[in-house]
């Protein structure tokens, strides 16, 4: 009898993942930005990351989407280490398909990387009509693989208003199953979501409905505290809302969630883009109490930086300062290091979060920024700034891209945003340094999210501790 064995890139614990071989390829969501008259589709680019390779740091493959105007966003693998949870029904699946959503088009592209890892192939396109008919949602945003299916967050309803939420895809057929929530309670806005599998808890965050975000930041909504400022706590089994945690109406746009990877730990971090009180940005710690309720605490605050009016884009001229704009965070697989992207000021910060209540800054690097335009040795002064951040499983390599969202790029970098991707080395114990051999310029296009072959720090969840 033949034995069904799990994919070798599935790891029983975070520690096992850290000891796995280093990544040799990255897949990069690449946006066409309209410089070609919106005549070209977005693409999934393939980047060589094999140290010593003659093409290290080069784009070595690409698959173009079949339509124009998708605005590819936060894509993910079809399956990961959570397939090894004791109750999981799918230990036989492979980590081979990337599910790539179009945030503007509401399509999801299913891309097979197995046959030719340098030339992945689109094997299915899930059209917006199917998603809307079966879920009542549109604008798929984030994809996470779980033990019982593929979870997708969506920003809103087909008309562009709320509510947003989560829906499910089948692991094998990629058929749309339907909405995940059975009782959403007061939740209306959506963005990211993650879980503590061993505690049966899901958390979700808030950005805004499609009508609130698709044309850029709306000043009246921002100053009125109308963008998302809450976390939501859900029961994983009953799919019902349990708690809403308000961070304060001034804490606008509660975005990326990063739970501890150790399944025995029921805490995590969430980034807040901006405070309307002082233009600072922050990171909050959430933590589950003994009674099952979740509390939050601000543990990192990054202040705005003063600037002259003529240095600022129109959206910021009235304020006389550059907000940091925390647009992404990433937590190392060993739960020791938290990386924070300040897209507005052009800075990536590294914090030791061994004690999650008392983060300690251990590294920082400047690249781009609305005012500073900090240079890279390979390219000179940059625009854009560290935006999406991805981290290798062993925590020693960091990958950055500089595009947030086309309409927001144009609002904060109105002269145009030149796409770039770069890599950094992150030695154990602290510090950050640029990899001089890894800087990729995207002519007429912009890179957004990076996924590493075999998994990365933000694509896996585990059921077993080290």
């Amino acid at each position: 009898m033949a034995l069904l064995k799990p994919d070798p890139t599935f790891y029983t614990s975070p520690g096992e993942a850290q000891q796995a071989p280093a990544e040799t390829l990255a897949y990069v969501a690449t946006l066409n930005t309209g410089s070609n008259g919106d005549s070209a589709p977005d693409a999934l680019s393939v980047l060589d990351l094999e140290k010593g390779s003659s093409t290290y740091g080069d784009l070595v493959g690409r698959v173009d989407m079949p339509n124009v105007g998708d605005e590819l966003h936060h894509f993910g693998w079809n399956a990961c280490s959570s397939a090894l949870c004791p109750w999981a029904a799918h230990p036989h699946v492979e980590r081979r398909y990337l599910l790539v959503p179009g945030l503007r088009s509401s399509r999801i592209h299913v891309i097979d990387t197995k046959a030719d890892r340098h030339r992945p192939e689109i094997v299915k396109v899930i059209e917006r009509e199917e998603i809307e008919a079966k879920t009542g949602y549109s604008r798929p945003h984030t994809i996470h693989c779980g033990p019982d299916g593929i979870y997708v967050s969506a920003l809103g309803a087909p008309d562009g208003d709320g509510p947003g939420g989560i829906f499910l895809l089948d692991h094998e057929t990629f058929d749309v199953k339907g909405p995940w929530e059975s009782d959403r309670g007061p939740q209306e806005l959506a963005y990211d979501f993650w879980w503590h599998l061993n505690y049966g808890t899901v958390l979700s965050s808030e950005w805004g409905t499609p009508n609130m975000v698709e044309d850029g930041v709306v000043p009246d909504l921002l100053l009125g505290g109308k963008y998302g400022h809450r976390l939501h706590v859900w029961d994983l089994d009953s799919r019902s809302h349990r708690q809403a945690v308000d961070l304060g109406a001034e804490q606008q746009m509660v975005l990326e969630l990063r739970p501890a990877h150790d399944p025995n730990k029921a805490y995590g971090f969430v980034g807040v883009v901006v405070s309307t009180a002082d233009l600072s940005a922050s990171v909050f710690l959430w933590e589950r109490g003994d009674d099952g309720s979740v509390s939050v605490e601000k543990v990192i605050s990054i202040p705005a930086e003063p600037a002259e009016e003529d240095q600022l884009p129109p959206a910021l001229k009235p304020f006389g300062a550059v907000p940091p704009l925390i647009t992404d965070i990433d937590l190392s697989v060993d739960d020791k290091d938290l990386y924070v992207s300040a897209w507005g000021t052009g800075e990536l910060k590294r914090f030791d979060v061994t004690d999650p209540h008392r983060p300690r800054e251990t590294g920082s690097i400047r690249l781009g920024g609305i005012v500073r335009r900090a240079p890279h040795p390979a390219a000179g002064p940059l625009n854009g700034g560290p935006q999406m951040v991805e981290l290798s499983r062993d925590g020693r390599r960091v990958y950055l891209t500089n595009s947030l969202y086309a309409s927001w790029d144009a609002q904060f970098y109105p002269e145009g945003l030149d796409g770039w991707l770069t890599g950094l080395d992150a030695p154990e114990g602290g510090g950050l340094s640029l990899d001089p051999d890894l800087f990729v310029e995207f002519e007429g296009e912009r890179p957004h999210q990076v996924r590493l072959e075999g998994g990365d720090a933000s694509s896996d969840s585990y059921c077993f501790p080290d």
Side-chain angles (χ1 to χ4, degrees):
M1 177 182 291
L3 294 177
L4 286 175
K5 296 184 178 181
D7 187 308
T9 72
F10 294 170
Y11 308 107
T12 59
S13 70
E16 187 177 314
Q18 292 170 67
Q19 299 302 315
E23 66 281 359
T24 59
L25 283 182
Y27 296 96
V28 185
T30 306
L31 283 59
N32 178 273
T33 59
S35 60
N36 297 319
D38 264 344
S39 60
D42 296 346
L44 190 70
S45 297
V46 184
L47 177 64
D48 184 355
L49 293 178
E50 185 172 5
K51 293 285 189 178
S53 166
S54 62
T55 54
Y56 175 74
D58 292 343
L59 297 175
V60 294
R62 176 185 177 103
V63 56
D64 288 302
M65 299 303 107
N67 299 282
V68 171
D70 285 307
E71 184 128 9
L72 302 184
H73 219 65
H74 293 185
F75 63 109
W77 292 102
N78 65 305
C80 55
S81 297
S82 62
L84 300 181
C85 291
W87 59 86
H90 304 281
H92 56 285
V93 298
E94 298 176 276
R95 192 200 306 258
R96 64 181 284 184
Y97 298 100
L98 285 167
L99 285 293
V100 186
L103 188 54
R104 286 273 181 175
S105 67
S106 290
R107 297 185 186 93
I108 298 177
H109 308 85
V110 182
I111 299 177
D112 189 355
T113 68
K114 184 175 181 178
D116 187 338
R117 50 205 285 270
H118 294 90
R119 295 173 180 80
E121 178 186 5
I122 299 172
V123 295
K124 182 173 182 175
V125 177
I126 306 168
E127 295 290 350
R128 69 179 299 159
E129 290 81 7
E130 180 181 358
I131 294 171
E132 292 176 357
K134 292 183 177 179
T135 71
Y137 292 138
S138 70
R139 280 73 160 198
H141 183 275
T142 296
I143 302 218
H144 290 313
C145 45
D148 57 345
I150 300 166
Y151 291 67
V152 185
S153 71
L155 291 187
D159 64 1
D161 289 327
I166 301 169
F167 64 93
L168 294 176
L169 303 178
D170 185 87
H171 261 105
E172 295 178 339
T173 65
F174 309 112
D175 290 338
V176 180
K177 289 184 173 182
W180 175 76
E181 305 87 354
S182 64
D183 175 9
R184 71 175 347 104
Q187 180 266 329
E188 179 80 5
L189 303 180
Y191 184 78
D192 196 9
F193 65 98
W194 261 118
W195 39 59
H196 297 294
L197 292 174
N198 286 6
Y199 292 86
T201 299
V202 173
L203 288 101
S204 65
S205 60
E206 297 185 338
W207 184 17
T209 66
N211 289 338
M212 295 168 67
V213 305
E214 285 188 339
D215 295 324
V217 180
V218 180
D220 289 347
L221 296 177
L222 179 68
L223 297 176
K226 301 301 184 183
Y227 287 103
H229 49 86
R230 297 189 297 179
L231 290 179
H232 297 278
V233 185
W234 308 78
D235 183 273
L236 179 61
D237 294 330
S238 67
R239 300 178 293 156
S240 57
H241 191 277
R242 287 289 178 261
Q243 184 185 357
V245 184
D246 199 330
L247 279 58
E250 77 280 3
Q251 305 295 340
Q252 287 287 279
M253 293 173 273
V254 180
L255 298 189
E256 305 294 343
L257 296 164
R258 298 291 179 256
H261 294 86
D262 183 335
N264 287 340
K265 300 173 181 175
Y267 69 81
F269 300 92
V270 62
V272 178
V273 174
V274 66
S275 167
T276 56
D278 57 9
L279 294 187
S280 66
S282 57
V283 176
F284 280 71
L285 170 73
W286 82 75
E287 194 166 25
R288 177 187 171 97
D290 292 338
D291 63 355
S293 65
V294 169
S295 60
V296 296
E297 174 189 357
K298 185 192 291 188
V299 293
I300 295 171
S301 183
I302 302 175
E305 297 182 354
E308 298 297 326
E309 183 178 335
D310 61 2
Q311 297 176 300
L312 296 169
L316 296 177
K317 286 185 184 298
F319 302 102
V322 180
L325 303 177
I326 291 178
T327 53
D328 197 17
I329 61 175
D330 207 0
L331 181 65
S332 63
V333 174
D334 61 8
D335 297 329
K336 292 181 179 179
D337 291 296
L338 184 72
Y339 292 84
V340 179
S341 288
W343 184 64
T345 49
E347 187 174 16
L348 180 75
K349 288 179 174 286
R350 178 182 181 181
F351 294 88
D352 181 331
V353 290
T354 305
D355 179 350
H357 293 274
R358 296 172 180 82
R360 179 174 58 88
E361 186 171 338
T362 60
S364 174
I365 201 159
R366 294 270 188 172
L367 291 168
I370 292 172
V371 170
R372 285 181 177 247
R373 308 301 167 100
H376 190 286
L382 299 176
N383 65 3
Q387 204 285 108
M388 293 303 295
V389 52
E390 192 51 78
L391 187 62
S392 63
R393 292 180 295 275
D394 64 2
R396 301 284 72 87
R397 293 165 301 285
V398 183
Y399 303 99
L400 298 176
T401 58
N402 73 325
S403 176
L404 174 61
Y405 187 46
S407 59
W408 294 47
D409 290 351
Q411 200 167 19
F412 290 100
Y413 293 92
E415 75 283 359
L417 192 148
D418 301 318
W420 51 262
L421 176 153
T422 194
L424 299 94
D425 294 318
E428 189 169 357
L432 285 170
S433 60
L434 289 170
D435 178 345
D437 299 319
L438 183 53
F439 185 83
V440 183
E441 296 178 272
F442 290 76
E443 185 176 353
E445 294 183 315
R446 299 175 192 167
H448 189 61
Q449 192 179 38
V450 175
R451 282 283 175 232
L452 304 182
E453 186 180 43
D456 42 60
S458 63
S459 65
D460 265 297
S461 48
Y462 308 88
C463 284
F464 298 95
D466 294 327

